Amino acid sequence: MKNEKTMLSYNPNYISVNHNTDTKSISDFQPRIWSSKQQLFHLLKIDEKKVDSNNQSVNYQHIKYKQDQKICLSGTPCSNLFVVYSGFLKTSWSDAYGNEKVLGFPMRGEILGLDGLNDYEYKNDVVAISDVELIIIPNKINNIHDPEDSHLINKLLNIFSKELVNTQKIEYIIGSLPAEARVAKFLLSLGQKYAQLGYSDNSYNLKMTRNDIGSYLGLTLETVSRTLSEFNKAGIVTVDQKSIQINDLETLKRLRRTTPIRSRKLSA
Amino acid sequence: MKNEKTMLSYNPNYISVNHNTDTKSISDFQPRIWSSKQQLFHLLKIDEKKVDSNNQSVNYQHIKYKQDQKICLSGTPCSNLFVVYSGFLKTSWSDAYGNEKVLGFPMRGEILGLDGLNDYEYKNDVVAISDVELIIIPNKINNIHDPEDSHLINKLLNIFSKELVNTQKIEYIIGSLPAEARVAKFLLSLGQKYAQLGYSDNSYNLKMTRNDIGSYLGLTLETVSRTLSEFNKAGIVTVDQKSIQINDLETLKRLRRTTPIRSRKLSA
DNA sequence: CGGCCCGTTGATATGACTCAAATAAGGTGG
DNA sequence: CCACCTTATTTGAGTCATATCAACGGGCCG
């Protein structure tokens, strides 16, 4: 476990590591990076026509975290929202007995911290599973009399609604689908997210462990591993450790309640 | 199946049936009922000190639905939010193949329609499982420049956050807990909701079927029935059809990943 | 080199599903 | 008011999918 910098110990003058280089020994001072409101809105896909071009003085600060650093901890005060600028993260939830349930794997353009907007205490844990760069949205959302903020608030309602429906879909996947379909839907949804960022939707690297995938899907890591191996043997997906190559998108999409791959292999 | 009145066919001059009488043959014109902003805010637990007492001219219309009527349909335009004034409902989600997944059982004080605030199309189905009365919040949320609405918008963000976290908890329950613990948590959470409305938290009637409970918890109706029977035999809960009486709250709370009741009964 | 984490695979156990039948409850029409 | 039909619920027997337990190999790091 590396040194952990949580929300609470956040220091605006922290020393950040250039996340574009793999040589982890190099660490140097960087000028603090800022995004304009326009850049932020573009990342959040807020219609730019709506945004007043005047009053562009408001800028949003960036913050970098290294792999395995904790970003939010359940129970700590929620003073910011974050928008993912780059990198990959994992959100999770732990019950009183320490059992962890992975809730999602946020990527560029997604928002962190919505779980804290009820009583202004984060409910989720957030961990960087790669080096990440976030944009800080200071949580002065209570004060929405400033019409400048109205676009952001409206977008926040949209995002909330989308997140809610998405969580409901996952509820359905976990509660109603067999292991094969769950893993299939997971691979497909990851592909979609990569596609939105301009990457390939059928060839990518998993950033998370089998254990994380299992926790996310309500399965054990062994079942995830076995299911991936089945897909690999059946030729639907080429799996090599973290590397995923989807060969037969249609079969993967078709998997739901029907006969498992295993029986199909036997009959073939 | 009774005649179904959906959102789309909503007529402001509809004839409502008095839901307080059991004599179903009596139906009569009623004056339309309205709630003041203050009444609505009280129902939503919005701090009343914050609410300006002037401009009380804005009122919110009520609408009544009879048992089994559909209130929202997935895919229809979202023009309103609703706040439950009385009665019991069921929200669900159906995939392309008609498989229904129950998402929740809203009661008095809860909000309906948040699923429609992304692209202004409802994503959930909502059905009345008793006669219900709802308060309509017209969806002009885009226009938040009116400071009168700012309290509502802020509360909406709080509610959204709470809903999101609650859905995440259910995700954990479905994905990680055995059947007994799922049913136990369901009974406990229902009790809590009843308690908040001023009813008993350990003695109540289920409004939904075993099938609905099963769908909600990711179980079959048989498993729900068996689990309730086990609780009944073990004396933890007295179950008689829809009637629930929780006798041993502590044991119910303690149920999670540990040995099932069955083994405990054998060892006793 | 040794320890740790991650992933794979096998053998076995078991919890929950499926299929099936019987009972109970509720609503409808004669 | 009763007969009938439909829906909801209970319970049993058997099966299956997934969890559990366990062993092994590989990569990474100290």
Side-chain angles (χ1 to χ4, degrees):
Chain A
M1 192 69 65
K2 313 195 176 167
N3 63 328
E4 291 159 5
K5 175 165 56 185
T6 69
M7 264 295 304
L8 289 174
S9 65
Y10 160 59
N11 174 354
N13 299 311
Y14 76 104
I15 300 168
S16 74
V17 175
N18 185 333
H19 76 295
N20 286 322
T21 168
D22 283 321
T23 57
K24 278 170 288 298
S25 57
I26 298 176
S27 72
D28 52 355
F29 282 98
Q30 282 200 336
R32 273 185 269 159
I33 308 171
W34 302 78
S35 278
S36 71
K37 180 172 277 191
Q38 206 158 19
Q39 291 170 310
L40 176 72
F41 281 14
H42 180 257
L43 197 55
L44 289 174
K45 300 195 188 69
I46 296 179
D47 192 356
E48 302 201 25
K49 292 192 296 292
K50 288 185 187 171
V51 181
D52 315 12
S53 48
N54 59 340
N55 196 355
Q56 285 296 337
S57 61
V58 184
N59 281 339
Y60 296 92
Q61 187 178 353
H62 286 218
I63 181 171
K64 292 184 176 185
Y65 292 92
K66 287 189 290 183
Q67 187 172 341
D68 296 329
Q69 280 189 318
K70 294 179 183 173
I71 290 158
C72 301
L73 278 181
S74 172
T76 58
C78 168
S79 41
N80 297 312
L81 295 177
F82 299 93
V83 175
V84 182
Y85 182 79
S86 68
F88 302 90
L89 302 103
K90 176 180 88 171
T91 59
S92 63
W93 188 81
S94 293
D95 69 6
Y97 307 94
N99 303 314
E100 188 196 38
K101 166 74 173 76
V102 172
L103 297 169
F105 303 102
M107 293 166 54
R108 176 177 167 88
E110 290 183 73
I111 268 196
L112 304 174
L114 295 181
D115 50 292
L117 289 190
N118 181 36
D119 54 5
Y120 299 94
E121 217 177 59
Y122 292 116
K123 305 297 185 209
N124 295 353
D125 295 325
V126 182
V127 177
I129 58 177
S130 76
D131 290 359
V132 300
E133 185 169 337
L134 309 181
I135 302 175
I136 301 175
I137 303 181
N139 190 358
K140 50 178 180 63
I141 303 246
N142 282 40
N143 177 21
I144 61 169
H145 299 288
D146 179 7
E148 270 297 304
D149 283 338
S150 67
H151 301 301
L152 187 56
I153 299 278
N154 272 321
K155 187 61 185 177
L156 219 48
L157 289 174
N158 293 344
I159 291 173
F160 252 128
S161 179
K162 201 172 173 185
E163 284 283 312
L164 192 62
V165 171
N166 189 49
T167 309
Q168 290 171 350
K169 272 187 195 166
I170 296 167
E171 215 184 289
Y172 162 74
I173 290 172
I174 295 179
S176 309
L177 298 183
E180 279 184 359
R182 293 188 216 181
V183 176
K185 292 223 179 275
F186 173 73
L187 294 178
L188 290 170
S189 75
L190 261 192
Q192 279 179 10
K193 284 172 73 170
Y194 277 115
Q196 279 174 11
L197 299 187
Y199 299 115
S200 165
D201 63 346
N202 55 21
S203 178
Y204 52 82
N205 281 320
L206 299 172
K207 308 293 179 183
M208 69 294 289
T209 67
R210 304 285 192 265
N211 196 23
D212 288 336
I213 299 172
S215 173
Y216 177 68
L217 295 174
L219 301 169
T220 59
L221 66 96
E222 292 96 329
T223 301
V224 174
S225 175
R226 273 186 251 270
T227 307
L228 288 174
S229 296
E230 276 166 22
F231 287 169
N232 189 52
K233 271 179 215 152
I236 300 172
V237 182
T238 303
V239 183
D240 179 26
Q241 296 291 107
K242 304 273 195 190
S243 144
I244 295 291
Q245 159 101 37
I246 299 176
N247 303 315
D248 188 347
L249 204 72
E250 289 313 311
T251 302
L252 214 54
K253 280 184 186 167
R254 218 177 306 119
L255 278 180
R256 31 187 202 103
R257 283 183 185 277
T258 53
T259 341
I261 294 278
R262 213 166 309 123
S263 351
R264 222 172 305 151
K265 279 189 308 186
L266 292 176
S267 67
Chain B
M1 193 70 66
K2 313 192 177 168
N3 65 328
E4 291 159 6
K5 175 165 57 185
T6 69
M7 263 295 304
L8 288 174
S9 64
Y10 161 57
N11 174 355
N13 298 311
Y14 76 102
I15 299 167
S16 74
V17 174
N18 186 334
H19 75 297
N20 287 323
T21 170
D22 284 320
T23 56
K24 278 169 290 296
S25 56
I26 298 175
S27 72
D28 51 356
F29 281 98
Q30 283 200 336
R32 273 185 271 160
I33 308 170
W34 302 78
S35 278
S36 71
K37 180 171 277 190
Q38 208 157 19
Q39 291 171 312
L40 176 72
F41 281 14
H42 179 258
L43 197 56
L44 289 175
K45 301 195 186 68
I46 296 180
D47 193 356
E48 302 202 25
K49 292 192 298 295
K50 287 185 187 170
V51 181
D52 315 12
S53 48
N54 59 341
N55 196 355
Q56 285 296 337
S57 60
V58 183
N59 281 339
Y60 296 91
Q61 188 179 351
H62 286 217
I63 181 171
K64 292 184 178 186
Y65 291 91
K66 286 190 289 183
Q67 187 171 342
D68 296 330
Q69 280 189 317
K70 294 179 184 173
I71 290 157
C72 301
L73 278 181
S74 173
T76 58
C78 168
S79 42
N80 297 313
L81 295 178
F82 299 94
V83 176
V84 182
Y85 183 78
S86 68
F88 301 90
L89 302 104
K90 175 180 87 170
T91 58
S92 63
W93 188 82
S94 294
D95 69 6
Y97 307 93
N99 304 313
E100 188 197 38
K101 166 73 173 76
V102 172
L103 297 169
F105 303 101
M107 293 167 54
R108 176 178 168 87
E110 290 183 73
I111 270 195
L112 305 173
L114 295 181
D115 50 292
L117 288 191
N118 182 35
D119 53 5
Y120 299 96
E121 215 178 61
Y122 292 117
K123 303 299 185 208
N124 295 352
D125 296 326
V126 183
V127 178
I129 58 177
S130 75
D131 289 0
V132 300
E133 186 169 338
L134 309 181
I135 302 175
I136 301 175
I137 303 181
N139 191 0
K140 51 179 178 63
I141 303 243
N142 282 41
N143 177 22
I144 60 168
H145 299 289
D146 178 8
E148 269 297 304
D149 283 338
S150 66
H151 300 303
L152 189 55
I153 299 278
N154 272 322
K155 187 61 184 179
L156 218 48
L157 290 173
N158 294 344
I159 291 172
F160 251 128
S161 179
K162 201 173 172 182
E163 284 283 313
L164 192 62
V165 171
N166 189 49
T167 309
Q168 290 171 351
K169 273 186 195 167
I170 296 166
E171 213 184 291
Y172 162 75
I173 290 172
I174 295 178
S176 309
L177 298 183
E180 280 185 357
R182 293 187 216 182
V183 175
K185 292 225 180 271
F186 173 73
L187 294 178
L188 290 170
S189 75
L190 262 191
Q192 278 178 12
K193 283 172 74 170
Y194 277 115
Q196 279 174 11
L197 300 187
Y199 299 114
S200 165
D201 63 345
N202 55 22
S203 178
Y204 53 81
N205 281 321
L206 299 172
K207 308 293 179 181
M208 68 294 292
T209 67
R210 304 284 192 266
N211 197 20
D212 288 338
I213 300 173
S215 173
Y216 178 67
L217 295 174
L219 300 169
T220 59
L221 67 96
E222 293 97 330
T223 301
V224 173
S225 175
R226 272 185 251 270
T227 307
L228 287 174
S229 297
E230 276 167 21
F231 287 169
N232 189 53
K233 270 179 216 150
I236 300 171
V237 181
T238 303
V239 183
D240 179 26
Q241 295 291 108
K242 304 273 195 191
S243 142
I244 296 290
Q245 158 101 38
I246 299 176
N247 303 315
D248 188 347
L249 204 70
E250 289 313 310
T251 303
L252 214 54
K253 281 184 185 168
R254 220 178 305 119
L255 278 180
R256 33 187 201 103
R257 283 183 183 277
T258 53
T259 341
I261 293 279
R262 216 164 307 123
S263 354
R264 221 171 305 151
K265 280 188 307 185
L266 291 176
S267 67

